[in-house]
PDB file of all heavy atoms in Angstrom:
ATOM      1  N   ALA A 965       2.882  -9.408   4.464  1.00 89.00           N
ATOM      2  CA  ALA A 965       4.062  -9.240   5.320  1.00 89.00           C
ATOM      3  C   ALA A 965       5.345  -9.511   4.543  1.00 89.00           C
ATOM      4  O   ALA A 965       6.325  -8.758   4.664  1.00 89.00           O
ATOM      5  CB  ALA A 965       3.968 -10.165   6.530  1.00 89.00           C
ATOM      6  N   VAL A 966       5.359 -10.555   3.723  1.00 93.00           N
ATOM      7  CA  VAL A 966       6.547 -10.876   2.926  1.00 93.00           C
ATOM      8  C   VAL A 966       6.804  -9.783   1.893  1.00 93.00           C
ATOM      9  O   VAL A 966       7.944  -9.334   1.718  1.00 93.00           O
ATOM     10  CB  VAL A 966       6.394 -12.265   2.252  1.00 93.00           C
ATOM     11  CG1 VAL A 966       7.476 -12.499   1.218  1.00 93.00           C
ATOM     12  CG2 VAL A 966       6.414 -13.362   3.305  1.00 93.00           C
ATOM     13  N   GLN A 967       5.766  -9.338   1.215  1.00 96.00           N
ATOM     14  CA  GLN A 967       5.929  -8.280   0.215  1.00 96.00           C
ATOM     15  C   GLN A 967       6.437  -6.988   0.863  1.00 96.00           C
ATOM     16  O   GLN A 967       7.331  -6.312   0.338  1.00 96.00           O
ATOM     17  CB  GLN A 967       4.602  -8.029  -0.505  1.00 96.00           C
ATOM     18  CG  GLN A 967       4.183  -9.187  -1.381  1.00 96.00           C
ATOM     19  CD  GLN A 967       2.725  -9.086  -1.813  1.00 96.00           C
ATOM     20  OE1 GLN A 967       1.955  -8.289  -1.285  1.00 96.00           O
ATOM     21  NE2 GLN A 967       2.349  -9.903  -2.781  1.00 96.00           N
ATOM     22  N   THR A 968       5.871  -6.656   2.012  1.00 95.00           N
ATOM     23  CA  THR A 968       6.270  -5.445   2.720  1.00 95.00           C
ATOM     24  C   THR A 968       7.727  -5.528   3.164  1.00 95.00           C
ATOM     25  O   THR A 968       8.489  -4.571   2.993  1.00 95.00           O
ATOM     26  CB  THR A 968       5.352  -5.223   3.945  1.00 95.00           C
ATOM     27  OG1 THR A 968       4.005  -5.121   3.480  1.00 95.00           O
ATOM     28  CG2 THR A 968       5.722  -3.978   4.708  1.00 95.00           C
ATOM     29  N   ALA A 969       8.108  -6.676   3.723  1.00 95.00           N
ATOM     30  CA  ALA A 969       9.495  -6.848   4.167  1.00 95.00           C
ATOM     31  C   ALA A 969      10.458  -6.739   2.988  1.00 95.00           C
ATOM     32  O   ALA A 969      11.528  -6.114   3.099  1.00 95.00           O
ATOM     33  CB  ALA A 969       9.653  -8.194   4.863  1.00 95.00           C
ATOM     34  N   TYR A 970      10.088  -7.303   1.857  1.00 97.00           N
ATOM     35  CA  TYR A 970      10.926  -7.227   0.665  1.00 97.00           C
ATOM     36  C   TYR A 970      11.110  -5.775   0.227  1.00 97.00           C
ATOM     37  O   TYR A 970      12.224  -5.324  -0.041  1.00 97.00           O
ATOM     38  CB  TYR A 970      10.316  -8.048  -0.477  1.00 97.00           C
ATOM     39  CG  TYR A 970      11.106  -7.935  -1.763  1.00 97.00           C
ATOM     40  CD1 TYR A 970      12.213  -8.740  -1.992  1.00 97.00           C
ATOM     41  CD2 TYR A 970      10.773  -6.979  -2.723  1.00 97.00           C
ATOM     42  CE1 TYR A 970      12.963  -8.618  -3.154  1.00 97.00           C
ATOM     43  CE2 TYR A 970      11.513  -6.839  -3.891  1.00 97.00           C
ATOM     44  CZ  TYR A 970      12.608  -7.670  -4.097  1.00 97.00           C
ATOM     45  OH  TYR A 970      13.344  -7.529  -5.241  1.00 97.00           O
ATOM     46  N   LEU A 971      10.018  -5.049   0.152  1.00 97.00           N
ATOM     47  CA  LEU A 971      10.095  -3.647  -0.274  1.00 97.00           C
ATOM     48  C   LEU A 971      10.922  -2.813   0.708  1.00 97.00           C
ATOM     49  O   LEU A 971      11.764  -2.003   0.294  1.00 97.00           O
ATOM     50  CB  LEU A 971       8.699  -3.053  -0.424  1.00 97.00           C
ATOM     51  CG  LEU A 971       7.867  -3.623  -1.573  1.00 97.00           C
ATOM     52  CD1 LEU A 971       6.436  -3.108  -1.492  1.00 97.00           C
ATOM     53  CD2 LEU A 971       8.505  -3.298  -2.917  1.00 97.00           C
ATOM     54  N   LYS A 972      10.706  -3.026   1.993  1.00 96.00           N
ATOM     55  CA  LYS A 972      11.442  -2.253   2.993  1.00 96.00           C
ATOM     56  C   LYS A 972      12.935  -2.563   2.937  1.00 96.00           C
ATOM     57  O   LYS A 972      13.772  -1.666   3.053  1.00 96.00           O
ATOM     58  CB  LYS A 972      10.885  -2.546   4.394  1.00 96.00           C
ATOM     59  CG  LYS A 972      11.484  -1.665   5.464  1.00 96.00           C
ATOM     60  CD  LYS A 972      10.808  -1.874   6.796  1.00 96.00           C
ATOM     61  CE  LYS A 972      11.383  -0.962   7.851  1.00 96.00           C
ATOM     62  NZ  LYS A 972      10.739  -1.170   9.142  1.00 96.00           N
ATOM     63  N   ALA A 973      13.275  -3.846   2.719  1.00 96.00           N
ATOM     64  CA  ALA A 973      14.685  -4.243   2.679  1.00 96.00           C
ATOM     65  C   ALA A 973      15.379  -3.799   1.388  1.00 96.00           C
ATOM     66  O   ALA A 973      16.555  -3.426   1.415  1.00 96.00           O
ATOM     67  CB  ALA A 973      14.799  -5.762   2.830  1.00 96.00           C
ATOM     68  N   ASN A 974      14.693  -3.837   0.265  1.00 97.00           N
ATOM     69  CA  ASN A 974      15.318  -3.583  -1.028  1.00 97.00           C
ATOM     70  C   ASN A 974      15.087  -2.180  -1.589  1.00 97.00           C
ATOM     71  O   ASN A 974      15.832  -1.741  -2.464  1.00 97.00           O
ATOM     72  CB  ASN A 974      14.847  -4.624  -2.042  1.00 97.00           C
ATOM     73  CG  ASN A 974      15.384  -5.998  -1.683  1.00 97.00           C
ATOM     74  OD1 ASN A 974      16.562  -6.262  -1.857  1.00 97.00           O
ATOM     75  ND2 ASN A 974      14.526  -6.846  -1.141  1.00 97.00           N
ATOM     76  N   TYR A 975      14.061  -1.503  -1.117  1.00 98.00           N
ATOM     77  CA  TYR A 975      13.735  -0.153  -1.579  1.00 98.00           C
ATOM     78  C   TYR A 975      13.373   0.726  -0.370  1.00 98.00           C
ATOM     79  O   TYR A 975      12.266   1.254  -0.288  1.00 98.00           O
ATOM     80  CB  TYR A 975      12.563  -0.193  -2.568  1.00 98.00           C
ATOM     81  CG  TYR A 975      12.834  -1.057  -3.772  1.00 98.00           C
ATOM     82  CD1 TYR A 975      12.415  -2.385  -3.805  1.00 98.00           C
ATOM     83  CD2 TYR A 975      13.517  -0.545  -4.875  1.00 98.00           C
ATOM     84  CE1 TYR A 975      12.675  -3.191  -4.907  1.00 98.00           C
ATOM     85  CE2 TYR A 975      13.779  -1.338  -5.981  1.00 98.00           C
ATOM     86  CZ  TYR A 975      13.365  -2.657  -5.987  1.00 98.00           C
ATOM     87  OH  TYR A 975      13.621  -3.444  -7.078  1.00 98.00           O
ATOM     88  N   PRO A 976      14.302   0.863   0.575  1.00 97.00           N
ATOM     89  CA  PRO A 976      13.949   1.556   1.826  1.00 97.00           C
ATOM     90  C   PRO A 976      13.518   3.009   1.645  1.00 97.00           C
ATOM     91  O   PRO A 976      12.600   3.461   2.330  1.00 97.00           O
ATOM     92  CB  PRO A 976      15.222   1.446   2.676  1.00 97.00           C
ATOM     93  CG  PRO A 976      16.323   1.193   1.696  1.00 97.00           C
ATOM     94  CD  PRO A 976      15.703   0.436   0.556  1.00 97.00           C
ATOM     95  N   ILE A 977      14.145   3.737   0.736  1.00 97.00           N
ATOM     96  CA  ILE A 977      13.773   5.145   0.548  1.00 97.00           C
ATOM     97  C   ILE A 977      12.354   5.232  -0.004  1.00 97.00           C
ATOM     98  O   ILE A 977      11.515   5.985   0.509  1.00 97.00           O
ATOM     99  CB  ILE A 977      14.779   5.873  -0.376  1.00 97.00           C
ATOM    100  CG1 ILE A 977      16.135   5.964   0.333  1.00 97.00           C
ATOM    101  CG2 ILE A 977      14.260   7.251  -0.761  1.00 97.00           C
ATOM    102  CD1 ILE A 977      17.258   6.467  -0.556  1.00 97.00           C
ATOM    103  N   GLU A 978      12.079   4.440  -1.043  1.00 97.00           N
ATOM    104  CA  GLU A 978      10.747   4.456  -1.648  1.00 97.00           C
ATOM    105  C   GLU A 978       9.687   3.976  -0.661  1.00 97.00           C
ATOM    106  O   GLU A 978       8.582   4.533  -0.576  1.00 97.00           O
ATOM    107  CB  GLU A 978      10.726   3.579  -2.907  1.00 97.00           C
ATOM    108  CG  GLU A 978      11.579   4.104  -4.041  1.00 97.00           C
ATOM    109  CD  GLU A 978      13.065   3.704  -3.967  1.00 97.00           C
ATOM    110  OE1 GLU A 978      13.513   3.177  -2.910  1.00 97.00           O
ATOM    111  OE2 GLU A 978      13.777   3.930  -4.956  1.00 97.00           O
ATOM    112  N   TYR A 979      10.044   2.959   0.104  1.00 97.00           N
ATOM    113  CA  TYR A 979       9.106   2.397   1.083  1.00 97.00           C
ATOM    114  C   TYR A 979       8.748   3.440   2.144  1.00 97.00           C
ATOM    115  O   TYR A 979       7.575   3.682   2.433  1.00 97.00           O
ATOM    116  CB  TYR A 979       9.719   1.149   1.727  1.00 97.00           C
ATOM    117  CG  TYR A 979       8.842   0.527   2.788  1.00 97.00           C
ATOM    118  CD1 TYR A 979       7.793  -0.305   2.444  1.00 97.00           C
ATOM    119  CD2 TYR A 979       9.054   0.795   4.139  1.00 97.00           C
ATOM    120  CE1 TYR A 979       6.971  -0.863   3.407  1.00 97.00           C
ATOM    121  CE2 TYR A 979       8.235   0.244   5.106  1.00 97.00           C
ATOM    122  CZ  TYR A 979       7.197  -0.586   4.732  1.00 97.00           C
ATOM    123  OH  TYR A 979       6.381  -1.124   5.694  1.00 97.00           O
ATOM    124  N   MET A 980       9.762   4.065   2.717  1.00 96.00           N
ATOM    125  CA  MET A 980       9.510   5.047   3.775  1.00 96.00           C
ATOM    126  C   MET A 980       8.806   6.289   3.212  1.00 96.00           C
ATOM    127  O   MET A 980       7.949   6.865   3.875  1.00 96.00           O
ATOM    128  CB  MET A 980      10.824   5.429   4.478  1.00 96.00           C
ATOM    129  CG  MET A 980      11.480   4.255   5.216  1.00 96.00           C
ATOM    130  SD  MET A 980      10.409   3.429   6.412  1.00 96.00           S
ATOM    131  CE  MET A 980      10.366   4.632   7.717  1.00 96.00           C
ATOM    132  N   THR A 981       9.151   6.675   1.976  1.00 96.00           N
ATOM    133  CA  THR A 981       8.463   7.792   1.332  1.00 96.00           C
ATOM    134  C   THR A 981       6.976   7.484   1.182  1.00 96.00           C
ATOM    135  O   THR A 981       6.115   8.333   1.459  1.00 96.00           O
ATOM    136  CB  THR A 981       9.089   8.088  -0.051  1.00 96.00           C
ATOM    137  OG1 THR A 981      10.469   8.401   0.134  1.00 96.00           O
ATOM    138  CG2 THR A 981       8.387   9.244  -0.737  1.00 96.00           C
ATOM    139  N   ALA A 982       6.676   6.273   0.747  1.00 96.00           N
ATOM    140  CA  ALA A 982       5.276   5.871   0.577  1.00 96.00           C
ATOM    141  C   ALA A 982       4.537   5.889   1.917  1.00 96.00           C
ATOM    142  O   ALA A 982       3.404   6.380   2.004  1.00 96.00           O
ATOM    143  CB  ALA A 982       5.199   4.487  -0.056  1.00 96.00           C
ATOM    144  N   LEU A 983       5.175   5.378   2.969  1.00 94.00           N
ATOM    145  CA  LEU A 983       4.530   5.388   4.293  1.00 94.00           C
ATOM    146  C   LEU A 983       4.211   6.812   4.729  1.00 94.00           C
ATOM    147  O   LEU A 983       3.109   7.094   5.207  1.00 94.00           O
ATOM    148  CB  LEU A 983       5.430   4.725   5.339  1.00 94.00           C
ATOM    149  CG  LEU A 983       5.427   3.217   5.403  1.00 94.00           C
ATOM    150  CD1 LEU A 983       6.412   2.743   6.479  1.00 94.00           C
ATOM    151  CD2 LEU A 983       4.052   2.668   5.686  1.00 94.00           C
ATOM    152  N   MET A 984       5.184   7.684   4.575  1.00 94.00           N
ATOM    153  CA  MET A 984       4.954   9.066   5.015  1.00 94.00           C
ATOM    154  C   MET A 984       3.908   9.762   4.149  1.00 94.00           C
ATOM    155  O   MET A 984       3.173  10.613   4.650  1.00 94.00           O
ATOM    156  CB  MET A 984       6.266   9.843   5.034  1.00 94.00           C
ATOM    157  CG  MET A 984       7.146   9.399   6.198  1.00 94.00           C
ATOM    158  SD  MET A 984       8.588  10.441   6.452  1.00 94.00           S
ATOM    159  CE  MET A 984       9.642   9.869   5.148  1.00 94.00           C
ATOM    160  N   SER A 985       3.822   9.377   2.887  1.00 95.00           N
ATOM    161  CA  SER A 985       2.792   9.964   2.013  1.00 95.00           C
ATOM    162  C   SER A 985       1.405   9.489   2.406  1.00 95.00           C
ATOM    163  O   SER A 985       0.456  10.266   2.486  1.00 95.00           O
ATOM    164  CB  SER A 985       3.059   9.587   0.558  1.00 95.00           C
ATOM    165  OG  SER A 985       4.262  10.169   0.120  1.00 95.00           O
ATOM    166  N   VAL A 986       1.284   8.195   2.666  1.00 95.00           N
ATOM    167  CA  VAL A 986      -0.016   7.618   3.015  1.00 95.00           C
ATOM    168  C   VAL A 986      -0.530   8.183   4.339  1.00 95.00           C
ATOM    169  O   VAL A 986      -1.714   8.462   4.482  1.00 95.00           O
ATOM    170  CB  VAL A 986       0.070   6.075   3.069  1.00 95.00           C
ATOM    171  CG1 VAL A 986      -1.165   5.475   3.704  1.00 95.00           C
ATOM    172  CG2 VAL A 986       0.293   5.508   1.679  1.00 95.00           C
ATOM    173  N   PHE A 987       0.370   8.369   5.289  1.00 95.00           N
ATOM    174  CA  PHE A 987      -0.035   8.817   6.625  1.00 95.00           C
ATOM    175  C   PHE A 987       0.337  10.276   6.882  1.00 95.00           C
ATOM    176  O   PHE A 987       0.543  10.675   8.023  1.00 95.00           O
ATOM    177  CB  PHE A 987       0.589   7.903   7.691  1.00 95.00           C
ATOM    178  CG  PHE A 987       0.106   6.493   7.613  1.00 95.00           C
ATOM    179  CD1 PHE A 987       0.926   5.491   7.127  1.00 95.00           C
ATOM    180  CD2 PHE A 987      -1.188   6.165   7.990  1.00 95.00           C
ATOM    181  CE1 PHE A 987       0.477   4.189   7.041  1.00 95.00           C
ATOM    182  CE2 PHE A 987      -1.656   4.865   7.896  1.00 95.00           C
ATOM    183  CZ  PHE A 987      -0.820   3.866   7.425  1.00 95.00           C
ATOM    184  N   ARG A 988       0.365  11.094   5.844  1.00 91.00           N
ATOM    185  CA  ARG A 988       0.813  12.478   5.987  1.00 91.00           C
ATOM    186  C   ARG A 988      -0.057  13.296   6.938  1.00 91.00           C
ATOM    187  O   ARG A 988       0.422  14.244   7.535  1.00 91.00           O
ATOM    188  CB  ARG A 988       0.923  13.153   4.634  1.00 91.00           C
ATOM    189  CG  ARG A 988      -0.378  13.381   3.923  1.00 91.00           C
ATOM    190  CD  ARG A 988      -0.155  14.060   2.572  1.00 91.00           C
ATOM    191  NE  ARG A 988      -1.364  14.041   1.776  1.00 91.00           N
ATOM    192  CZ  ARG A 988      -1.639  13.106   0.880  1.00 91.00           C
ATOM    193  NH1 ARG A 988      -0.789  12.148   0.647  1.00 91.00           N
ATOM    194  NH2 ARG A 988      -2.779  13.151   0.205  1.00 91.00           N
ATOM    195  N   GLY A 989      -1.297  12.930   7.130  1.00 92.00           N
ATOM    196  CA  GLY A 989      -2.155  13.672   8.051  1.00 92.00           C
ATOM    197  C   GLY A 989      -2.028  13.228   9.499  1.00 92.00           C
ATOM    198  O   GLY A 989      -2.569  13.858  10.398  1.00 92.00           O
ATOM    199  N   ASP A 990      -1.293  12.162   9.752  1.00 95.00           N
ATOM    200  CA  ASP A 990      -1.125  11.626  11.104  1.00 95.00           C
ATOM    201  C   ASP A 990       0.273  12.005  11.600  1.00 95.00           C
ATOM    202  O   ASP A 990       1.259  11.326  11.304  1.00 95.00           O
ATOM    203  CB  ASP A 990      -1.314  10.106  11.070  1.00 95.00           C
ATOM    204  CG  ASP A 990      -1.294   9.462  12.437  1.00 95.00           C
ATOM    205  OD1 ASP A 990      -0.673  10.018  13.367  1.00 95.00           O
ATOM    206  OD2 ASP A 990      -1.893   8.372  12.572  1.00 95.00           O
ATOM    207  N   LEU A 991       0.327  13.100  12.359  1.00 93.00           N
ATOM    208  CA  LEU A 991       1.631  13.636  12.777  1.00 93.00           C
ATOM    209  C   LEU A 991       2.430  12.665  13.634  1.00 93.00           C
ATOM    210  O   LEU A 991       3.654  12.588  13.514  1.00 93.00           O
ATOM    211  CB  LEU A 991       1.433  14.965  13.502  1.00 93.00           C
ATOM    212  CG  LEU A 991       0.864  16.114  12.644  1.00 93.00           C
ATOM    213  CD1 LEU A 991       0.700  17.377  13.472  1.00 93.00           C
ATOM    214  CD2 LEU A 991       1.732  16.359  11.437  1.00 93.00           C
TER     215      LEU A 991
END
């Protein structure tokens, strides 16, 4: 949770890109 919050706060574009890549099959 701490690592995720850090990434989302400091690298929001990369974080959201990664989420959308991981869940690309889940519309």
